[in-house]
Amino acid sequence: MDFYMTVLIKFILGLLCIILQINLVGKSNLAPVTPLDQVQNYVLGGIIGGIIYSESVTVFQFLFLMFVNVDFSSDGLTIFEKSQSFG
C-alpha cells in the first residue's frame, strides 16, 4: 500500500506543478503555440511519467525536479524574482 500512496502523492504534485507552470507562463492551457511549448510539454510529461513509478526517487526529489523544470520553463525568471516584481 505504501507504493500506491507514493505514486498518488507524486501524481497529485505533478498535476499541481502543471497548474503552477500554466499560471507562471501566463497561458490558459497546455496547447503548444510554438515548437518550444511542444518540447516543454514532452519534457514535463516525460518527467512525470518516468519518475512517478520509480521507487528510488523520493517525493522530495520529485518535487525539487518539478520546481526546477517549472522555473526554467517560465522564461528564465525564478519564482522568487517573479514574486518580488509584483511587490
Side-chain angles (χ1 to χ4, degrees):
M1 189 59 140
D2 186 41
F3 173 74
Y4 294 112
M5 278 307 279
T6 306
V7 169
L8 181 66
I9 290 170
K10 288 180 184 179
F11 179 71
I12 291 170
L13 289 175
L15 288 177
L16 290 175
C17 286
I18 289 173
I19 293 169
L20 179 67
Q21 179 181 2
I22 290 171
N23 288 333
L24 284 178
V25 175
K27 298 192 304 185
S28 60
N29 57 25
L30 279 176
V33 178
T34 65
L36 184 60
D37 290 340
Q38 185 70 30
V39 171
Q40 288 175 354
N41 290 344
Y42 285 141
V43 169
L44 189 61
I47 290 172
I48 293 173
I51 293 179
I52 197 169
Y53 296 113
S54 175
E55 293 183 31
S56 63
V57 178
T58 66
V59 173
F60 296 113
Q61 291 171 337
F62 176 72
L63 191 60
F64 176 74
L65 183 62
M66 291 304 297
F67 278 130
V68 167
N69 181 44
V70 167
D71 187 36
F72 281 128
S73 65
S74 62
D75 297 332
L77 294 175
T78 62
I79 295 170
F80 179 72
E81 288 172 344
K82 283 193 172 214
S83 67
Q84 293 299 318
S85 66
F86 295 118

